[in-house]
Amino acid sequence: MNASDFGAKMQGLNNRLDAAYKRLAAALDSLPAEQAFKGSEWSVVDCLNHLSPREGGYSRYMESLLDQEHPAARAFSPPERRWANMKTGLAAEHQRCRAALARVTPKHFTTQVDQPDGSKRPLSTYIETMVNHFEEHGGQIMDQIIPRVRA
């Protein structure tokens, strides 16, 4: 590829990336926070966590390829192994939740947690939210997503 073709190709990729970001940023600017966490398939937040995880997404993978003298693509686990790992991760999260619940004493339940705005909430709020979170997303998977993908 000559320098002119390379420059044009890179400019095109940069333009596409910038345009996609600008469209997404504009859409997110008009989206209230409470709506960002809603969704029957994926919420906006779920999708953003996938697109731009804290530890770096596709850009980190690209950087690793650029840093290799002889680039080699990483091997992806077969779907069956990834699925097994996800189920193992779910079981581990369930056990961590159970372990957290096992530590709760009556004193913990009523302990007040300072909030960033200066107010206080009982620790029981967070304990219940942990269980609600597990139930909500489990229900979302069972009641919405599985029926949709089996249809």
Side-chain angles (χ1 to χ4, degrees), residues 3-144:
S4 177
D5 290 342
F6 173 76
K9 181 71 168 176
M10 294 307 297
Q11 185 62 49
L13 290 170
N14 276 295
N15 290 346
R16 287 175 46 207
L17 180 64
D18 290 347
Y21 173 74
K22 287 176 186 174
R23 284 192 311 270
L24 179 57
L28 295 179
D29 281 346
S30 64
L31 183 71
E34 64 273 6
Q35 290 180 358
F37 290 88
K38 293 180 179 178
S40 61
E41 293 180 30
W42 264 23
S43 68
V44 170
V45 169
D46 293 332
C47 191
L48 288 175
N49 282 332
H50 173 74
L51 178 62
S52 55
R54 285 187 185 131
E55 68 278 359
Y58 209 87
S59 61
R60 175 167 263 162
Y61 178 50
M62 274 302 307
E63 288 171 353
S64 76
L65 291 174
L66 293 170
D67 292 341
Q68 296 175 34
E69 185 174 339
H70 301 287
R74 66 179 177 219
F76 290 97
S77 300
E80 295 80 12
R81 183 177 303 146
R82 290 194 316 262
W83 181 232
N85 289 342
M86 291 177 129
K87 291 190 282 186
T88 299
L90 175 64
E93 176 62 12
H94 173 247
Q95 289 306 312
R96 285 189 297 268
C97 289
R98 288 183 55 79
L101 288 175
R103 293 185 53 208
V104 175
T105 66
K107 183 179 178 193
H108 285 129
F109 212 72
T110 58
T111 298
Q112 295 296 305
V113 178
D114 293 330
Q115 302 298 299
D117 66 1
S119 65
K120 295 182 183 287
R121 284 190 182 159
L123 184 55
S124 62
T125 302
Y126 294 92
I127 296 165
E128 292 169 2
T129 297
M130 179 184 71
V131 175
N132 291 345
H133 185 256
F134 207 94
E135 287 176 326
E136 179 182 349
H137 291 298
Q140 181 183 30
I141 291 167
M142 293 180 299
D143 301 334
Q144 297 171 21

